[in-house]
Amino acid sequence: MILWRHLVADIQKVKHTAFLWAHLIAPLVGSGLFLAYISGRASKPLNTYSNFLEAIGVILPLVISILCGIVASQEEKAGKFQVLLGSSIRRETNYISKLLFLMLGNIFAILLAVLTFVLGMKYILHIPNIPYLVFFQGAGWLIGSSVILYIIYLWVSFTFGLGASSLLGGLGLLVSALMITGLGDGIWKYIPWAWGVRFADTIGVLQLGDFNSNIKSAVRVEFEQGQIIFILLTIILFVVSIVWFRKWEGKKFYE
């Protein structure tokens, strides 16, 4: 109950236009542009699915880094983080509330983008046999895979500031884009910035791809290995971030 009240308070006090753009306008605009792009084009369901989900997955690191930086900047302006660290609520609750606030916005934005896209394909482009479930499964993997990115970028934002977080977000965007290519084969499982695009792609290959059983079997093995690493690293980093936040005094590295 305390966590819920704190989460609601976080939502109410954020009035930055970047949050409106990232969570409402950008998903609608992005989906509209993709609908215009595929209009009149003959494309296989797997290609349509992959192109759309990959675009979301590649841009996510940059968007997450900026939003985490904005949240950290607001807390710094509100008394050098002392509102966050000095309240009567346990530090862990404050920290988890920030993470949940950011991730709820992420869930809303990704689901809005996918919903807009699939409805646009059905009612505007009149495309038959749309694999709705596959699109939302891919969206689910994008959402789950981004949890560790929020943990990383929130730590960077609190410790180094918005500039450093945004810079790392740009690098994350580049890494995500490279991991879609052959450069990511075999190593993507160990790189959090690759998880979203690779997991989403794998769902498409397994359910929409016209490949032989040997290829699908190999892809499934990589997928299962990636899941184990994804779960373990996310849990470990979350616990480490909680321990760090308990000891953090609100100072940045250059102070």
Side-chain angles (χ1 to χ4, degrees), residues 206-226:
L206 293 177
Q207 301 202 33
L208 302 176
D210 185 19
F211 303 103
N212 63 50
S213 58
N214 290 333
I215 293 177
K216 286 194 173 184
S217 178
V219 169
R220 187 175 287 108
V221 170
E222 280 241 319
F223 182 60
E224 291 171 352
Q225 292 173 348

Side-chain angles (χ1 to χ4, degrees), residues 52-240:
F52 182 66
L53 270 293
E54 283 176 358
I56 297 176
V58 167
I59 198 68
L60 268 179
L62 179 59
V63 174
I64 291 172
S65 69
I66 294 173
L67 295 178
C68 287
I70 291 172
V71 167
S73 178
Q74 289 177 332
E75 291 296 338
E76 182 181 18
K77 292 176 181 177
K80 294 291 184 179
F81 303 106
Q82 293 312 304
V83 173
L84 182 65
L85 300 176
S87 68
S88 59
I89 303 173
R90 294 185 64 181
R91 283 192 172 191
E92 300 94 309
T93 303
N94 282 333
Y95 176 71
I96 294 172
S97 171
K98 294 298 177 189
L99 278 177
L100 285 177
F101 162 69
L102 288 162
M103 289 188 290
L104 284 175
N106 183 53
I107 293 171
F108 175 82
I110 292 177
L111 292 181
L112 176 62
V114 172
L115 181 63
T116 303
F117 188 64
V118 297
L119 290 180
M121 286 193 293
K122 179 176 178 61
Y123 294 108
I124 298 176
L125 302 183
H126 305 291
I127 297 175
N129 304 319
I130 299 170
Y132 300 102
L133 181 59
V134 181
F135 272 92
F136 284 101
Q137 286 178 329
W141 278 106
L142 286 178
I143 291 168
S145 300
S146 65
V147 173
I148 195 169
L149 298 184
Y150 277 105
I151 295 172
I152 293 171
Y153 286 120
L154 198 57
W155 172 76
V156 172
S157 297
F158 280 142
T159 308
F160 301 97
L162 174 59
S165 180
S166 299
L167 178 60
L168 185 59
L171 293 175
L173 183 151
L174 179 60
V175 170
S176 296
L178 290 175
M179 289 299 102
I180 298 174
T181 69
L183 292 174
D185 294 345
I187 64 171
W188 69 267
K189 302 185 292 290
Y190 310 102
I191 303 175
W193 288 268
W195 291 346
V197 290
R198 281 288 186 157
F199 281 138
D201 273 351
T202 302
I203 292 294
V205 168
L206 293 177
Q207 301 202 33
L208 302 176
D210 185 19
F211 303 103
N212 63 50
S213 58
N214 290 333
I215 293 177
K216 286 194 173 184
S217 178
V219 169
R220 187 175 287 108
V221 170
E222 280 241 319
F223 182 60
E224 291 171 352
Q225 292 173 348
Q227 286 182 68
I228 295 172
I229 296 172
F230 149 66
I231 293 171
L232 289 177
L233 281 183
T234 300
I235 292 174
I236 291 171
L237 202 58
F238 175 70
V239 173
V240 170

